[in-house]
Amino acid sequence: MTFAELGLSKPITEAITKLGYSQPTPIQEQSIPAILLHQDLLAAAQTGTGKTAAFVLPILEKLRQQTPCQSKEIKALIVTPTRELAAQIDANVQDYATHLKLRHHVIFGGVNSKPQFKALLSGCEILTATLGRLLDLYQQGAIDFSKLQILVLDEADRMLDMGFIHDIKRLLKLLPKQRQTLLFSATFSKDIRQLAQQFLNKPSEINANPENQTARQVEQFYTLVDYEQKTDLLKQLIRQFQWQQVLVFTRTKHGANRLTQKLERAKIKAAAIHGNKSQNARVKALAGFKSGEIDILVATDIAARGLDIKQLPQIVNFDLPNVAEDYVHRIGRTGRAGESGSAYSLVSEDQVEQLQAIETFIKERLNHLEVEGFKASFARPKSSHKTTSARHPRQGRNNSTPRRPRQSRFAHRKNEQA
């Protein structure tokens, strides 16, 4: 199956061919024809499956020969939970539409709204936005929804997790009832299905997540470590394996800041991204990480949502997440595009229960990694698990393709929002 056979025209297929795309992914192969047939869509797809192209490409095809929008008008609206994801999607739109005369803008909070307001006054065919800034600029009179044809809610599960349900409902009341609505989520949770029942019209349902699979080629390790030794252990791993590009997850914003400061004091080039950082600071940190100026990027789950980092070799869970699906999202950021990768979890005594729940969820035992000089004062309950020497894990830039599990939650402790 080729992109042309899916119904995409030459200007679009030429653009994606130059980007190195030769064949559609499963989510693209299923979504593109349904969207071109004007069907509403409820789709489950993880990060790294090509889901952005799955909705952007058919939107471009549908809009490419239409008359331009007039003042303040938009024809396609893509709503995302985070600034980084909004910026990344708009960059993808730019790449895919290089041979088309379509205007696109992106709006999000954390930056001055005046340039965004001014840009919207002339109208655009595709607008990518976060909810807060979108509703704010609509209230200011910068946006006219009357000509809207297509609405995309991307990573809708994360928007619900972040408490945006009331803003979502508020937005939907402002939009034309005669529209095409595309809802993309990592899971088909009860809340997602309720949202779909309220606002989608006889949607096609697509599940691009094979059940009960995690990253098949991503090597997964855990080390038991006393909490006060976690930072020293991370520094040891960085130096021993000569890591140069590592994404480290912490549970809270303050934890990300503290860890970054400790790494910097140890002469390790690090930066943090989270919700308290300004948009400029987050963009600068990400750019430094991609260019190699920064070796360690410390992030919270929400801040890392939507980050597109190619050939990311290592993921470290400095803190284990409370939600199993977040573990899968995290390790899915390595081992992409046919590369190999490794994921490491530093497990303190208070997180042993979460480790066991994750292993139960993914139906797989993580490799136990022993690191010389770091012996925890506790042990996990006796059970069969593999033990690996600290010399065994891959060193250098390796990655692969993640296995995708059936999603569910195993804990509901209140998490500090990123």
Side-chain angles (χ1 to χ4, degrees):
M1 179 69 70
T2 66
F3 285 103
E5 290 172 330
L6 292 178
L8 300 178
S9 58
K10 189 175 180 180
I12 297 174
T13 58
E14 284 183 347
I16 58 181
T17 298
K18 288 182 180 179
L19 294 171
Y21 302 155
S22 57
Q23 290 184 316
T25 65
I27 185 63
Q28 294 163 3
E29 190 170 324
Q30 297 177 72
S31 298
I32 291 173
I35 296 172
L36 291 177
L37 289 172
H38 313 292
Q39 297 174 2
D40 282 10
L41 193 65
L42 174 60
Q46 300 270 356
T47 298
T49 60
K51 69 178 173 65
T52 299
F55 59 79
V56 170
L57 296 178
I59 288 174
L60 294 175
E61 184 63 40
K62 295 181 71 172
L63 299 182
R64 70 183 184 90
Q65 291 185 321
Q66 294 188 18
T67 57
C69 287
Q70 302 301 309
S71 176
K72 304 181 184 180
E73 294 175 354
I74 58 174
K75 292 184 178 179
L77 173 62
I78 303 168
V79 180
T80 76
T82 66
R83 311 168 195 172
E84 284 77 18
L85 183 54
Q88 183 59 50
I89 290 174
D90 185 65
N92 291 148
V93 173
Q94 174 69 37
D95 290 338
Y96 304 152
T98 185
H99 301 308
L100 303 175
K101 295 181 179 179
L102 291 175
R103 294 167 298 169
H104 59 94
H105 293 307
V106 59
I107 59 173
F108 46 72
V111 295
N112 191 338
S113 66
K114 290 182 179 179
Q116 296 177 356
F117 183 99
K118 185 177 180 181
L120 290 170
L121 291 180
S122 60
C124 67
E125 281 67 57
I126 302 175
L127 176 63
T128 306
T130 54
L131 271 166
R133 181 54 58 90
L134 175 67
L135 292 170
D136 180 50
L137 288 173
Y138 172 79
Q139 290 292 338
Q140 294 181 44
I143 304 171
D144 177 2
F145 289 132
S146 65
K147 297 296 189 294
L148 185 81
Q149 300 174 20
I150 307 167
L151 169 68
V152 181
L153 296 177
D154 191 23
E155 298 199 354
D157 55 325
R158 182 59 63 174
M159 284 192 266
L160 296 184
D161 288 345
M162 294 169 69
F164 291 158
I165 182 61
H166 296 298
D167 283 344
I168 292 173
K169 291 182 177 180
R170 181 182 164 199
L171 170 65
L172 291 168
K173 289 179 181 178
L174 301 174
L175 305 181
K177 291 184 179 180
Q178 297 299 319
R179 66 172 188 271
Q180 183 178 21
T181 304
L182 314 174
L183 192 156
F184 283 78
S185 170
T187 68
F188 285 154
S189 66
K190 180 180 177 181
D191 290 340
I192 287 296
R193 289 197 177 278
Q194 288 178 346
L195 187 66
Q197 288 173 1
Q198 291 181 63
F199 300 109
L200 272 63
N201 179 29
K202 298 179 181 178
S204 295
E205 188 171 303
I206 294 171
N207 190 343
N209 298 329
E211 290 198 358
N212 300 319
Q213 294 184 346
T214 57
R216 291 187 184 276
Q217 303 303 323
V218 175
E219 289 189 301
Q220 300 174 63
F221 302 92
Y222 79 91
T223 299
L224 299 179
V225 58
D226 292 331
Y227 182 82
E228 59 272 14
Q229 286 193 301
K230 273 193 176 185
T231 303
D232 288 337
L233 174 57
L234 176 60
K235 291 188 289 187
Q236 170 70 11
L237 291 172
I238 292 169
R239 288 166 174 157
Q240 181 171 339
F241 299 137
Q242 299 179 351
W243 286 343
Q244 295 179 337
Q245 195 176 39
V246 188
L247 180 59
V248 179
F249 286 96
T250 61
R251 189 179 298 167
T252 68
K253 295 174 279 191
H254 299 301
N257 286 337
R258 287 194 300 269
L259 178 58
T260 300
Q261 291 167 2
K262 290 177 181 178
L263 293 175
E264 288 177 327
R265 286 197 291 268
K267 308 300 182 184
I268 295 172
K269 295 178 289 184
I273 60 169
H274 52 68
N276 283 355
K277 294 283 186 179
S278 70
Q279 183 64 17
N280 288 338
R282 293 161 78 165
V283 169
K284 182 179 179 181
L286 182 57
F289 186 63
K290 288 183 175 181
S291 69
E293 295 177 16
I294 294 169
D295 292 328
I296 314 298
L297 188 65
V298 185
T300 52
D301 282 301
I302 294 175
R305 195 79 167 188
L307 293 184
D308 185 13
I309 304 167
K310 297 180 179 179
Q311 297 184 339
L312 181 61
Q314 283 88 30
I315 295 290
V316 175
N317 294 304
F318 190 84
D319 300 314
L320 283 181
N322 284 328
V323 179
E325 68 187 46
D326 285 341
Y327 174 82
V328 177
H329 283 306
R330 289 178 179 187
I331 70 169
R333 297 185 180 283
T334 187
R336 298 172 71 172
E339 299 291 338
S340 55
S342 304
Y344 301 81
S345 295
L346 313 187
V347 183
S348 50
E349 188 170 11
D350 62 311
Q351 295 183 337
V352 170
E353 181 181 344
Q354 289 152 268
L355 170 64
Q356 293 177 169
I358 288 171
E359 290 180 331
T360 299
F361 174 67
I362 65 176
K363 297 183 179 180
E364 182 178 347
R365 281 281 182 179
L366 275 62
N367 297 301
H368 181 210
L369 174 67
E370 292 183 347
V371 181
E372 185 176 352
F374 293 88
K375 184 172 179 59
S377 61
F378 63 94
R380 64 179 297 188
K382 286 188 177 181
S383 57
S384 60
H385 62 274
K386 294 175 286 184
T387 298
T388 304
S389 161
R391 294 186 299 275
H392 174 72
R394 299 175 180 142
Q395 301 184 30
R397 298 177 176 271
N398 342 319
N399 290 326
S400 171
T401 302
R403 239 193 294 189
R404 305 295 180 186
R406 180 185 61 206
Q407 303 293 304
S408 76
R409 298 179 179 277
F410 65 82
H412 301 281
R413 300 174 192 170
K414 187 174 181 180
N415 229 354
E416 179 183 357
Q417 287 217 341

